[in-house]
């Protein structure tokens, strides 16, 4: 956790590739959690066939809004200090990111995406993320998404 915040996050920010936000313990000033976000998209290339993509967007959009890709925000990193894991801080941060982009959506985005490591998949499923396709089943990471229209803004 510390290595990313100290060494990598500033580089991503300077290169305008990702923004990292931290959660501090107000008493100690210690960083106890963080997340990084970057622009992303869900596109026809994310699906094994154009038919699969058409099925995905048919359930999400009216005909007039059927595009070849849809804007998203990728959760690039999400880290919780081991001393506070199990206290729903990760769920709080996921809710915060979603709400942030629904209530103050400056550029337009419809989805949250994440390349979830296999050990983190249950966490994302619990937080209503879904698999984008089955093509990456059994891989080290799986592409998952959450539809921001499910949040009341």
């Amino acid at each position: 956790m510390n290595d990313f915040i100290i060494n990598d996050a500033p580089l991503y920010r300077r290169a305008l590739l990702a923004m990292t936000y931290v959660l501090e313990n107000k008493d100690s000033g210690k960083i106890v959690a963080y997340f990084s976000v970057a622009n992303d998209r869900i596109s026809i290339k994310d699906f094994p066939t154009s038919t699969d993509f058409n099925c995905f967007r048919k359930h999400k959009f009216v005909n007039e809004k059927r595009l070849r890709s849809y804007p998203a925000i990728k959760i690039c990193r999400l880290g919780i200090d081991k001393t506070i894991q199990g206290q729903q801080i990760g769920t709080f941060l996921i809710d915060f990111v979603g709400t942030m982009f629904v209530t103050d959506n400056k550029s337009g985005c419809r989805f949250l995406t994440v390349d979830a490591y296999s050990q983190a998949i249950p966490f994302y499923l619990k937080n209503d993320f879904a698999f984008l396709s089955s093509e990456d089943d059994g891989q080290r990471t799986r592409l998952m998404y959450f539809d921001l229209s499910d949040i009341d803004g």
Side-chain angles (χ1 to χ4, degrees), residues 31-103:
I31 294 174
V32 294
Y34 72 92
F35 65 90
S36 290
V37 291
N39 293 323
D40 196 14
R41 69 179 181 173
I42 293 178
S43 76
I44 196 168
K45 295 176 189 174
D46 293 319
F47 294 83
T49 68
S50 58
T51 301
D52 291 332
F53 179 66
N54 287 333
C55 288
F56 168 80
R57 69 182 181 174
K58 181 172 111 177
H59 298 291
K60 303 284 183 188
F61 301 97
V62 296
N63 281 337
E64 296 78 20
K65 303 301 178 205
R66 291 192 187 166
L67 309 171
R68 294 183 64 75
S69 67
Y70 296 93
I73 294 296
K74 180 174 285 283
I75 299 172
C76 306
R77 296 280 183 133
L78 176 67
I80 311 297
D81 189 283
K82 290 179 182 177
T83 62
I84 63 164
Q85 287 179 350
Q87 297 181 29
Q88 305 299 311
I89 301 297
T91 296
F92 168 80
L93 291 177
I94 294 287
D95 291 345
F96 178 81
V97 172
T99 302
M100 181 169 69
F101 284 98
V102 168
T103 60

Side-chain angles (χ1 to χ4, degrees), residues 77-140:
R77 296 280 183 133
L78 176 67
I80 311 297
D81 189 283
K82 290 179 182 177
T83 62
I84 63 164
Q85 287 179 350
Q87 297 181 29
Q88 305 299 311
I89 301 297
T91 296
F92 168 80
L93 291 177
I94 294 287
D95 291 345
F96 178 81
V97 172
T99 302
M100 181 169 69
F101 284 98
V102 168
T103 60
D104 195 21
N105 195 351
K106 294 186 185 317
S107 66
C109 70
R110 174 64 184 262
F111 299 100
L112 293 179
T113 60
V114 64
D115 291 316
Y117 288 103
S118 56
Q119 66 270 24
I121 288 173
F123 166 77
Y124 287 105
L125 288 171
K126 181 184 84 173
N127 284 284
D128 298 323
F129 279 71
F131 298 110
L132 202 58
S133 83
S134 60
E135 288 290 295
D136 55 0
D137 191 17
Q139 299 297 313
R140 199 173 120 224

